[in-house]
């Protein structure tokens, strides 16, 4: 079934043939069987190994009894639905943009090491592309570390991008897109520059924590000598299967989040999210721009609001995400709707009003975030919030005008602190045999 990116964003369930041709495949669910330690040669599909582990007859569940063990010894066990799902790495667009949200994510920025220029950057992109494509198929890259040995691809996606500083370091300033101009400052910014920006960007997403860490570790090792980690942020979403049926995700404030995202079925979806093939510079054809913001939620203050107050701040019901102007979650928001007493159903400073395309000259973006929780601060408040990621064809017609508006008049801003920020140019996808960014680095 084709499900929208809104659902993908929101629901975090595998499903969506994306704009990049990404397709999550599912197999029938089986109980997970722990596999024993094993080693495997490079290139061996991990799912084969799971079958081998299953054939060793490890665990089959309490009800199976001795007969069940015998059966398990004879029949390799299939991967669970979650483990077997895969998202094609190759395509017109990179995976991880309009493909379904995953349960685990790592966002990492790298800086080129002193002396590493265009040639070494190109070699790194070639190594990274090859490893990412291999891992997305559930196979092991060369010199693997066995961390994900027993698991299937688990919807792994790896997405690469370039920051503005990359073009200075590699002598490619003439190829730097105008859309990559630094984001303007916003009054509510409390940015940590150490955790902002960066030459290279990698987004890793997977529905299994070990698969996600494995990919991150492989990519970090492949960068050795060429690029070093500048910052890393890790986040999560709801695990596929945690709800009885696919549902829109919730964020750490408890709101249904992702409902009114652009959908791939919208006529203007590609125009909003992806750079047109005719655009300049040519190497960005079919690419996208991603704004990354680490947004801390001031949860202790938020929790002091009543339910009605919280709903007024957003403009939607907390229980099911329905707009306060009436209807169900998917009913279009009626910004002009009024209550019996004549007051606006959606408050003047409600987040959905201030952020809506109608309030921002049509500006829109695809929100595809991960939640984060990095412990508690010295006052005992959670260091938690949203790794907000906005994907758009041009941030000057997406994130920037909307954030300007939110910065001035959004009721939600009182409960948020933007702590880190970055903008990256994410090239289009590549075909087998090519590497991501090849048109830039070899052009
Ligand atoms: C932690 C920070 C944020 C939280 C918790 C949050 C939460 C929400 C929620 C609950 C909705 C309503 C459901 C939906 O349509 O997805 C929403 C809508 C939206 N948000 Fe945010 N948001 C945050 C930050 C931002 C930022 C920084 C931007 C852009 C600069 C943004 C742009 C939007 C847009 C465009 C919509 C859809 C509005 C519409 O057309 O109805 N949000 N957000």
């Amino acid at each position: 079934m084709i499900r929208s990116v809104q659902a993908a964003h929101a629901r975090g369930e595998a499903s969506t043939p994306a704009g990049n041709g990404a397709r999550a495949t599912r197999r029938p669910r089986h109980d997970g069987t722990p596999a024993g330690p094993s080693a495997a040669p490079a290139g061996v599909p991990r799912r084969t190994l799971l079958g081998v582990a299953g054939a060793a007859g490890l665990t089959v569940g309490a009800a199976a009894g001795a007969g069940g063990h015998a059966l398990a010894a004879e029949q390799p066990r299939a991967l669970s639905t979650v483990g077997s799902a895969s998202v094609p790495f190759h395509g017109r667009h990179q995976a991880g943009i309009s493909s379904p949200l995953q349960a685990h994510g790592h966002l990492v920025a790298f800086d080129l090491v002193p002396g590493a220029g265009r040639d070494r950057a190109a070699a790194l992109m070639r190594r990274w592309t090859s490893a990412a494509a291999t891992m997305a198929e559930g196979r092991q890259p060369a010199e693997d570390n066995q961390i994900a040995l027993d698991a299937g691809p688990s919807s792994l996606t790896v997405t690469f991008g370039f920051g503005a500083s990359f073009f200075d370091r590699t002598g490619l300033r003439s190829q730097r897109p105008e859309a990559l101009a630094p984001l303007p400052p916003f009054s509510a910014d409390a940015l940590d520059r150490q955790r902002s920006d960066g030459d290279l960007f990698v987004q890793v997403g997977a529905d299994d924590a070990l698969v996600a860490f494995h990919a991150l570790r492989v990519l970090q090792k492949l960068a050795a000598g060429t690029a070093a980690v500048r910052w890393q942020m890790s986040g999560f979403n709801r695990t596929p299967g945690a709800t009885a049926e696919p549902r829109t995700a919730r964020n750490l404030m408890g709101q249904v989040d992702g409902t009114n995202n652009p959908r791939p079925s919208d006529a203007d979806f590609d125009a909003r999210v992806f750079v047109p093939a005719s655009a300049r510079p040519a190497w960005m054809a079919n690419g996208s721009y991603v704004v990354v913001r680490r947004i801390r939620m001031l949860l202790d203050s938020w929790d002091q609001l009543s339910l009605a107050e919280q709903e007024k701040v957003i403009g939607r019901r907390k229980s099911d995400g329905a707009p306060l102007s009436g209807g169900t979650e998917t009913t279009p928001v009626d910004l002009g709707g009024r209550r019996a007493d004549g007051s606006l159903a959606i408050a003047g400073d409600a987040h959905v009003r201030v952020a809506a395309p109608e309030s921002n000259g049509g500006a829109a973006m695809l929100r595809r975030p991960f939640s984060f929780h990095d412990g508690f601060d010295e006052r005992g408040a959670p260091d938690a919030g949203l790794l907000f990621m906005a994907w758009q064809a041009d941030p000057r017609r997406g994130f920037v005008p909307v954030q300007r508006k939110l910065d001035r008049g959004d009721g939600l801003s009182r409960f948020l602190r933007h702590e880190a920020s970055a903008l990256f140019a994410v090239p289009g996808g590549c075909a087998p045999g090519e590497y991501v960014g090849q048109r830039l680095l070899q052009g």
Side-chain angles (χ1 to χ4, degrees):
M1 185 179 104
I2 295 181
R3 237 190 272 147
S4 67
V5 158
Q6 165 201 3
H9 165 154
R11 294 169 176 147
E13 305 269 343
S15 63
T16 309
N20 62 353
R23 184 180 297 274
T25 52
R26 293 296 207 204
R27 292 178 174 203
R29 180 184 289 280
H30 290 250
D31 294 327
T33 301
S38 52
V44 174
R46 293 202 299 263
R47 84 179 54 148
T48 307
L49 291 164
L50 190 79
V52 170
L58 290 172
T59 312
V60 281
H69 276 278
L71 190 66
E74 285 154 21
Q75 293 179 351
R77 302 188 65 152
L79 285 166
S80 74
T81 308
V82 169
S84 65
S86 66
V87 180
F89 176 83
H90 297 106
R92 189 155 52 97
H93 309 302
Q94 289 195 61
I97 302 174
S98 57
S99 34
L101 264 185
Q102 300 102 330
H104 305 273
H106 300 294
L107 314 180
V108 199
F110 290 81
D111 282 341
L112 293 171
V113 300
R118 177 173 170 175
D119 289 350
R120 276 160 69 186
L124 173 59
M125 292 311 298
R126 189 183 288 282
R127 291 197 296 277
W128 272 356
T129 298
S130 165
T134 302
M135 292 186 289
E137 290 174 4
R139 295 183 298 119
Q140 297 172 270
E143 300 188 27
D144 194 57
N145 48 33
Q146 286 82 45
I147 294 170
L149 196 59
D150 323 305
S154 308
S155 299
L156 174 74
T157 58
V158 180
T159 321
F160 300 107
F162 303 114
S165 52
F166 180 83
F167 299 83
D168 299 326
R169 300 268 172 87
T170 51
L172 287 164
R173 216 165 295 161
S174 63
Q175 291 297 318
R176 180 164 56 206
E178 284 178 17
L180 203 55
L183 297 176
F186 301 102
S187 69
D189 283 357
L191 304 182
D192 175 355
R193 282 288 153 206
Q194 309 288 329
R195 289 197 291 185
S196 298
D197 306 323
D199 294 346
L200 291 156
F201 173 63
V202 180
Q203 174 192 242
V204 172
D207 281 331
D208 177 74
L210 285 179
V211 168
F213 174 81
H214 169 249
L216 173 67
R217 175 70 177 137
V218 165
L219 298 170
Q220 178 242 342
K221 280 171 73 175
L222 286 173
T226 301
V229 172
R230 176 182 172 87
W231 54 256
Q232 187 216 321
M233 300 172 196
S234 297
F236 54 90
N237 285 302
R238 185 182 271 148
T239 303
T243 52
E245 63 208 32
R247 299 187 74 95
T248 307
R250 286 185 191 268
N251 61 39
L252 298 189
M253 286 175 153
Q255 302 140 1
V256 176
D257 193 349
T259 302
N260 227 357
N261 249 338
R263 301 175 175 89
S265 54
D266 295 346
D268 55 2
F269 179 82
D270 273 17
R272 285 174 155 179
V273 177
F274 295 112
V275 177
S278 57
R280 289 284 169 273
W283 66 267
M284 269 301 284
N286 302 316
S288 187
Y289 292 89
V290 63
V291 172
V292 181
R293 308 278 285 188
R294 184 187 200 269
I295 306 181
R296 171 99 165 249
M297 292 173 170
L298 306 179
L299 290 176
D300 284 346
S301 309
W302 174 254
D303 288 348
Q304 283 168 19
L305 298 187
S306 67
L307 178 63
E309 287 167 334
Q310 291 186 349
E311 292 182 333
K312 193 169 167 230
V313 165
I314 295 295
R316 286 181 175 272
R317 255 194 334 238
K318 228 177 154 187
S319 58
D320 60 359
L324 296 185
S325 50
T328 63
E329 183 192 347
T330 51
T331 306
V333 180
D334 178 5
L335 293 177
R338 296 195 176 261
R339 281 197 286 255
D341 65 3
S343 63
L344 283 169
I346 310 279
D349 66 349
H351 183 69
V352 298
R353 175 187 294 282
V354 183
E358 300 91 295
S359 309
N360 295 286
M365 68 206 86
L366 176 65
R367 292 165 287 130
R368 190 182 187 276
F370 292 93
S371 293
F372 73 87
H373 178 216
D374 294 334
F376 297 85
D377 68 16
E378 60 285 351
R379 289 173 295 114
D383 181 4
L386 205 61
L387 301 177
F388 176 88
M389 304 183 75
W391 299 87
Q392 62 253 285
D394 187 333
R396 298 167 300 179
R397 288 184 287 110
F399 176 83
V400 172
V402 177
Q403 180 56 24
R404 271 209 180 105
K405 197 54 142 326
L406 291 174
D407 201 34
R408 286 196 299 266
D410 178 22
L412 182 63
S413 300
R414 291 181 281 131
F415 303 94
L416 306 177
R417 196 161 67 209
H418 289 238
E419 296 186 333
S421 175
L423 168 64
F424 299 102
V426 173
C430 66
E434 296 174 346
Y435 65 88
V436 175
Q438 184 164 346
R439 292 177 70 192
L440 168 67
L441 290 159
Q442 279 185 3

